[in-house]
C-alpha cells in the first residue's frame, strides 16, 4: 500500500481526496488539518510515501511545514497543492525539496499521475543510492586491495633485490676463485713443462747412447722412463688445453676440409690398441666427401678422444663402429659422425655431466693403470675438450647410451655449401 498524508485546512478537499484515493484500493490515507498537526503526526509515524501539502494554511503555512519536513529526513515525497496564481511559492517549494505541485481545483486524475511519477522518482533515487553505496563499498575494497598488493609487491621487490645482490656477490666470488684456479693450473703446467722437456731431451740422448754404452737393464729402465715422460707430457698438454680455451682459438685456422680422411687418420692412429684388445673395428665412412670449415688437427683430436673412450670402456672382443654420413634432413646440411661401442654404457644421470671437465662416472681408484686397458681412466677431460672443439666448429656433440649394452657419441658439423 502507498501511504498518503493529506495536509489541508479545508475539510471538504481532504474528504474528496480521501474518497477518490480510497476507491483506487492501493492507497492508505491519513489527514492533517494544518502544518503543525502534520509534523506531529509524522513524528509519531514517519513511514509515509506521499505528503500532499496545501500552501495556504493557518498557524504553519505550506512552505514552513515543508521546511520542517525536510529537516526530519523522511522517505516521503512532498507534492504541493496550490491556487493557480501562486507560482512564486511553488518555485520556492520545489527549491526546498518538493517534488511537484497540483493546482486547485484539483484534477484528481492528474494528481494520480503526479503521485505515480513521484513514487517512480523515489524508487529510482533509492536504487541510485544503493548503486552508489555499492560502488563506494567496492571502490574502498579495491583501494584497500591495491594498497595491500602494492605493499606485497614492494616487499617482494625488496627481497628479489637482496637475493640478486647476494647472487651477484656469490657469482663474483666464484668467478674470481675460478680465475685463481685457472691461473694456478696454467702456471703449474707451464712450470712442469720446462723441466719435463729437459728430462725428455736427456733421456733421448742417453737412449741414443751419445754418452756411451749401457747395460740392457739400464736401457730397458730408460725406455720405461721415456714412455712415462711421454704420458706425463700428454697429461700436461690436456690440462693446458682444457684450462685455456684461448689456446684452441690461437691454433684454430679455418679451411675447407674433408672430414672423412681425418676419421681414417684417427682410427689408424689407434689400430694397434684395438688389435691388442681383440676388438672388432668397423668403418662405415661415407664415400661422398664431407666438406666442413675447420681445423683438421683439432677435429682429429676430438674424434680421437671418442675412439680412445670407446676402446677403454669396451671389453676385449667388443665392437667399435666409426660412421660418417651426410644429414640432409636439416638445413643447412650437416656431416654426421658417430662412434658406437658395445661397452659398459653410461648411467642416464651421468649423460650430461660427462662433458664437464674432470668428471668421471667411476671413482678413479677403480681405474686400471694402462692408457688403453679395459676401464682405464684418464683425467676426465677428453670429452670436454672434444665438446669445446666441436663448439668451436659451430657443431654439436651428443650421446646415447644403454647401461651394459654400449654407447654412441654423435658429432654434427655444418657442411660447406
Ligand atoms: P676420461 O679421461 O676419464 O676418459 P672423458 O672426459 O673422456 O674422461 O670421459 C668422461 C667419463 O665419461 C669417463 O670417465 C667415463 O666414465 C665416461 N665415458 C666416456 N666415454 C664412454 C664410453 N664410450 N663408454 C662408457 N663410458 C664412457
Amino acid at each position: 500500500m502507498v501511504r498518503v498524508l493529506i495536509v489541508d485546512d479545508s475539510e471538504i478537499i481532504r474528504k474528496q481526496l480521501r474518497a477518490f484515493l480510497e476507491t483506487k484500493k492501493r492507497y492508505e490515507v491519513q489527514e492533517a488539518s494544518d502544518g503543525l498537526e502534520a509534523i506531529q503526526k509524522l513524528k509519531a509515524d514517519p513511514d509515509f510515501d506521499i505528503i500532499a501539502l496545501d500552501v495556504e494554511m493557518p498557524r504553519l503555512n505550506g512552505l514552513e511545514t515543508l521546511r520542517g519536513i525536510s529537516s526530519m529526513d523522511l522517505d516521503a515525497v512532498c507534492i504541493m497543492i496550490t491556487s493557480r496564481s501562486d507560482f512564486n511559492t511553488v518555485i520556492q517549494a520545489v527549491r526546498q525539496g518538493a517534488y511537484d505541485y497540483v493546482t486547485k481545483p484539483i484534477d484528481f486524475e492528474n494528481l494520480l499521475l503526479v503521485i505515480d511519477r513521484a513514487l517512480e522518482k523515489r524508487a529510482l533515487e533509492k536504487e541510485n543510492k544503493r548503486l552508489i553505496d555499492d560502488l563506494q563499498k567496492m571502490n574502498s575494497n579495491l583501494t584497500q586491495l591495491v594498497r595491500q598488493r602494492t605493499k606485497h609487491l614492494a616487499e617482494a621487490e625488496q627481497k628479489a633485490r637482496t637475493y640478486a645482490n647476494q647472487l651477484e656477490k656469490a657469482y663474483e666470488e666464484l668467478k674470481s676463485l675460478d680465475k685463481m684456479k685457472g691461473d694456478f693450473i696454467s702456471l703449474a703446467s707451464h712450470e712442469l713443462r720446462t723441466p719435463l722437456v729437459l728430462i725428455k731431451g736427456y733421456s733421448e740422448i742417453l737412449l741414443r747412447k751419445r754418452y756411451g754404452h749401457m747395460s740392457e737393464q739400464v736401457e730397458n729402465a730408460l725406455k720405461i722412463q721415456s714412455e712415462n715422460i711421454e704420458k706425463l707430457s700428454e697429461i700436461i698438454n690436456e690440462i693446458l688445453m682444457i684450462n685455456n680455451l684461448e689456446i684452441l682459438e690461437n691454433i684454430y685456422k679455418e679451411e675447407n676440409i674433408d672430414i672423412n680422411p681425418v676419421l681414417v687418420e684417427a682410427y689408424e692412429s689407434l689400430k694397434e690398441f684395438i688389435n691388442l684388445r681383440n676388438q672388432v673395428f668397423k668403418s662405415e665412412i661415407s664415400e661422398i666427401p664431407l666438406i666442413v670449415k675447420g681445423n683438421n688437427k683439432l677435429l682429429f683430436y676430438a674424434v680421437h678422444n671418442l675412439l680412445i673412450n670407446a676402446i677403454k670402456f669396451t671389453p676385449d672382443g667388443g665392437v667399435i663402429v666409426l660412421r660418417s654420413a651426410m644429414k640432409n634432413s636439416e638445413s643447412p646440411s650437416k656431416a654426421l659422425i658417430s662412434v658406437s661401442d658395445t661397452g659398459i654404457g653410461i648411467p642416464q644421470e651421468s649423460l650430461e655431466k660427462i662433458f664437464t671437465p674432470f668428471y668421471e662416472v667411476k671413482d678413479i681408484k677403480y681405474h686400471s693403470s694402462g692408457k688403453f686397458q679395459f676401464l682405464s681412466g684418464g683425467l676426465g677431460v677428453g670429452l670436454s675438450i672434444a665438446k669445446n672443439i666441436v663448439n668451436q666448429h659451430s657443431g654439436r656433440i651428443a650421446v646415447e647410451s644403454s647401461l651394459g649394452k654400449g654407447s654412441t657419441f654423435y658429432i654434427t658439423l655444418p657442411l660447406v655449401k
Side-chain angles (χ1 to χ4, degrees), residues 309-310 312-313 341 344-346 354 359-361 378-383 407 409:
N309 281 345
K312 285 195 305 190
F313 297 105
D341 64 53
I344 57 170
I346 303 159
I354 55 173
Y359 181 84
E360 303 191 56
V361 176
L379 285 172
V381 296
L383 285 180
S407 316
F409 284 82

Side-chain angles (χ1 to χ4, degrees), residues 86-227:
D86 209 6
F87 280 109
N88 262 343
T89 317
V90 164
I91 289 167
Q92 277 188 57
V94 170
R95 278 193 190 139
Q96 279 175 32
Y99 169 66
D100 207 344
Y101 68 96
V102 289
T103 48
K104 285 180 188 168
I106 299 170
D107 173 347
F108 290 148
E109 289 302 330
N110 179 46
L111 177 66
L112 271 190
L113 284 177
V114 174
I115 288 177
D116 279 350
R117 278 207 312 267
L119 288 174
E120 205 175 308
K121 179 201 161 218
R122 195 183 62 157
L124 276 174
E125 269 174 1
K126 272 190 180 169
E127 180 62 9
N128 260 355
K129 194 176 168 309
R130 194 186 61 75
L131 284 175
I132 288 170
D133 281 353
D134 283 358
L135 255 165
Q136 268 168 352
K137 216 185 274 166
M138 268 156 65
N139 191 21
S140 107
N141 284 348
L142 215 82
T143 314
Q144 213 174 332
L145 206 76
V146 168
R147 218 172 282 148
Q148 238 174 38
R149 291 279 153 90
T150 316
K151 197 172 148 225
H152 287 170
L153 210 80
E155 281 168 6
E157 255 176 30
Q158 180 59 37
K159 258 190 207 154
R161 225 173 290 134
T162 316
Y163 288 147
N165 286 345
Q166 284 171 352
L167 244 160
E168 206 175 323
K169 223 166 123 195
Y171 176 68
E172 286 306 324
E173 276 169 19
L174 243 165
K175 229 167 65 180
S176 107
L177 275 175
D178 195 54
K179 188 176 177 307
M180 265 165 72
K181 185 198 84 184
D183 289 350
F184 170 74
I185 293 178
S186 231
L187 198 78
S189 333
H190 275 298
E191 290 304 310
L192 282 173
R193 222 155 44 159
T194 321
L196 202 67
V197 169
L198 277 175
I199 297 170
K200 203 169 151 184
Y202 276 110
S203 78
E204 270 167 24
I205 291 173
L206 286 174
L207 274 173
R208 280 192 213 128
K209 300 185 180 138
R210 291 251 180 99
Y211 294 158
H213 214 72
M214 62 188 112
S215 69
E216 201 179 325
Q217 220 177 356
V218 174
E219 194 176 342
N220 283 341
L222 257 179
K223 274 185 187 155
I224 294 171
Q225 178 181 300
S226 195
E227 274 168 26

Side-chain angles (χ1 to χ4, degrees), residues 234 237-238 241-242 248 262-263 266-267 269-270 297-313 320 322 339 341 355 371-372 376 378-390 397 409 411:
E234 261 178 45
N237 278 345
E238 277 191 343
M241 209 167 198
I242 189 68
L248 287 188
V262 178
L263 303 184
Y267 155 64
S269 73
L270 293 166
K297 279 208 183 74
L298 290 178
L299 288 171
F300 166 86
Y301 199 76
V303 178
H304 190 259
N305 277 354
L306 297 188
L307 284 171
I308 290 180
N309 281 345
I311 300 170
K312 285 195 305 190
F313 297 105
I320 296 168
L322 176 62
V339 177
D341 64 53
F355 293 101
K371 198 164 175 182
F372 292 96
S376 57
L379 285 172
V381 296
L383 285 180
S384 100
I385 293 174
K387 185 176 176 182
N388 282 336
I389 293 173
V390 173
I397 191 163
F409 284 82
I411 293 177

Side-chain angles (χ1 to χ4, degrees), residues 216-254:
E216 201 179 325
Q217 220 177 356
V218 174
E219 194 176 342
N220 283 341
L222 257 179
K223 274 185 187 155
I224 294 171
Q225 178 181 300
S226 195
E227 274 168 26
N228 281 290
I229 290 168
E230 203 52 53
K231 270 188 202 163
L232 198 60
S233 96
E234 261 178 45
I235 292 175
I236 291 171
N237 278 345
E238 277 191 343
I239 294 182
L240 267 174
M241 209 167 198
I242 189 68
N243 193 52
N244 213 341
L245 257 182
E246 289 140 42
I247 291 180
L248 287 188
E249 274 156 28
N250 286 341
I251 54 173
Y252 184 79
K253 291 231 167 47
E254 263 190 3

Side-chain angles (χ1 to χ4, degrees), residues 65-81:
T65 312
L66 182 65
R67 232 171 281 140
I69 292 171
S70 300
S71 69
M72 287 168 78
D73 196 24
L74 301 176
D75 245 0
V77 187
C78 291
I79 297 166
M80 306 307 286
I81 303 168

